[in-house]
Amino acid sequence: ESQDPEGLEVAAPEASGYEFQSGGVVEMLEGLKDEFAKKKYDMDAEELKAQHAFEDLAQQMADNIENAKHEVEKKTATRAETQEAKA
């Protein structure tokens, strides 16, 4: 059996039309991939910055507590010495 040449001509544009449409989808998905990768990078950087800020604040608070305890011990010792001197 021989194929109708006109049928082939009709089929070819449909195939190229489909390839054109799928190419647009691929480009869109690649664009979304790039956009999401940039957003992920930005959010990771923001999270890292927030984590460092938290750690700095926690360290400052720990240092303040340690210094306050030292001051209390120092004043307690001074008060004890003053009480002994009065006695």
Side-chain angles (χ1 to χ4, degrees), residues 51-78:
Q51 181 67 28
H52 285 299
F54 171 79
E55 289 172 358
D56 287 346
L57 183 60
Q59 184 63 49
Q60 286 176 348
M61 294 176 101
D63 291 346
N64 289 346
I65 290 170
E66 186 177 333
N67 289 338
K69 285 181 180 179
H70 177 71
E71 287 297 316
V72 167
E73 290 172 1
K74 189 170 141 182
K75 288 181 181 181
T76 302
T78 302

Side-chain angles (χ1 to χ4, degrees), residues 15-87:
S16 65
Y18 177 76
E19 288 174 12
F20 175 77
Q21 289 177 355
S22 67
V25 171
V26 170
E27 287 177 17
M28 179 189 69
L29 291 174
E30 287 175 350
L32 286 173
K33 178 185 170 193
D34 293 342
E35 181 182 342
F36 291 154
K38 182 180 180 336
K39 284 185 179 183
K40 183 182 182 308
Y41 175 82
D42 292 344
M43 292 182 83
D44 286 344
E46 185 178 329
E47 181 180 3
L48 189 61
K49 183 178 175 182
Q51 181 67 28
H52 285 299
F54 171 79
E55 289 172 358
D56 287 346
L57 183 60
Q59 184 63 49
Q60 286 176 348
M61 294 176 101
D63 291 346
N64 289 346
I65 290 170
E66 186 177 333
N67 289 338
K69 285 181 180 179
H70 177 71
E71 287 297 316
V72 167
E73 290 172 1
K74 189 170 141 182
K75 288 181 181 181
T76 302
T78 302
R79 180 184 291 172
E81 289 174 6
T82 303
Q83 293 296 330
E84 284 181 24
K86 289 182 180 178

